[in-house]
């Protein structure tokens, strides 16, 4: 496992299918990128997080920021989740796990005494030059989208 990413590091490149077509890190050059990782579509915490980011999408846009949610769900699940919840954020599918691994968000989880691998709820704020300027580990959903917005320059 690579060293965990930190503020100041260059963001790892990625290439994934998304609800806006295929995307990669270079597509966001010149704007801020909120890259948030979440475990699974249509679960309570993940739905709340996506709706909170959606509610602030115009404010993020006013600060030259795009929002991309990443999970290992299929594109079919992403499309259904986006339509069902009327989401305005980009959802990217990391089915092969390359992006979650390169960002260090594919982790061992412990639930009811059993361990399994899963996506950690983490957010990376990447500047217009592709550098990580802030990251949030073990995200608590309530108030998170607002906190990320406040971390952006006005």
């Amino acid at each position: 496992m690579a060293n965990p990413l930190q503020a100041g590091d260059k963001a790892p490149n990625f290439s994934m299918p998304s609800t806006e077509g295929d995307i990669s890190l270079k597509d966001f050059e010149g704007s801020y990128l909120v890259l948030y990782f979440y475990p699974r579509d249509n679960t309570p915490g993940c739905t709340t997080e996506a709706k909170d980011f959606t509610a602030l999408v115009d404010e993020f846009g006013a600060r030259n920021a795009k929002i991309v949610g990443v999970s290992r769900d299929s594109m079919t699940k992403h499309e259904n989740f986006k339509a069902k919840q009327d989401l305005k954020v980009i959802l990217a599918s990391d089915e092969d796990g390359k992006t979650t691994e390169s960002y260090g968000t594919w982790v061992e989880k412990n639930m009811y005494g059993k361990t399994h691998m899963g996506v950690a709820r983490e957010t990376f704020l990447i500047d217009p030059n592709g550098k990580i300027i802030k990251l949030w580990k073990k995200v608590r959903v309530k108030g998170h989208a607002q906190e990320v917005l406040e971390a952006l320059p006005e």
Side-chain angles (χ1 to χ4, degrees):
M1 165 102 200
N3 289 332
L5 294 169
Q6 300 174 27
D9 291 347
K10 184 141 185 52
N13 195 16
F14 59 81
S15 181
M16 296 177 281
S18 84
T19 51
E20 305 283 312
D22 289 344
I23 59 169
S24 67
L25 185 60
K26 71 178 183 334
D27 295 329
F28 300 95
E29 280 175 9
S31 62
Y32 288 92
L33 172 61
V34 174
L35 193 65
Y36 79 93
F37 292 84
Y38 66 98
R40 189 171 289 126
D41 290 342
N42 285 307
T43 57
C46 299
T47 300
T48 299
E49 187 175 28
K51 287 177 127 180
D52 288 352
F53 275 119
T54 291
L56 295 171
V57 81
D58 291 340
E59 290 165 67
F60 276 96
R63 294 188 189 186
N64 190 29
K66 306 261 193 293
I67 305 165
V68 176
V70 180
S71 80
R72 292 179 73 159
D73 287 314
S74 68
M75 281 309 304
T76 302
K77 284 185 176 171
H78 277 347
E79 296 288 357
N80 291 342
F81 182 43
K82 190 166 179 159
K84 179 179 174 183
Q85 301 297 340
D86 195 27
L87 303 175
K88 305 276 186 269
V89 297
I90 299 167
L91 298 178
S93 175
D94 184 38
E95 281 192 281
D96 66 12
K98 287 183 180 149
T99 303
T100 47
E101 289 196 21
S102 68
Y103 277 81
T105 60
W106 184 244
V107 299
E108 188 174 272
K109 294 179 158 191
N110 193 334
M111 193 173 202
Y112 308 119
K114 293 198 182 334
T115 58
H116 66 282
M117 295 301 288
V119 178
R121 190 181 308 279
E122 296 185 4
T123 301
F124 294 80
L125 180 56
I126 301 168
D127 77 7
N129 301 311
K131 194 164 84 180
I132 298 168
I133 51 175
K134 189 163 171 80
L135 57 116
W136 290 263
K137 301 229 176 228
K138 295 188 167 92
V139 166
R140 291 211 174 280
V141 172
K142 188 170 172 43
H144 179 62
Q146 183 65 42
E147 187 182 336
V148 175
L149 179 67
E150 289 168 6
L152 279 164
E154 302 243 3

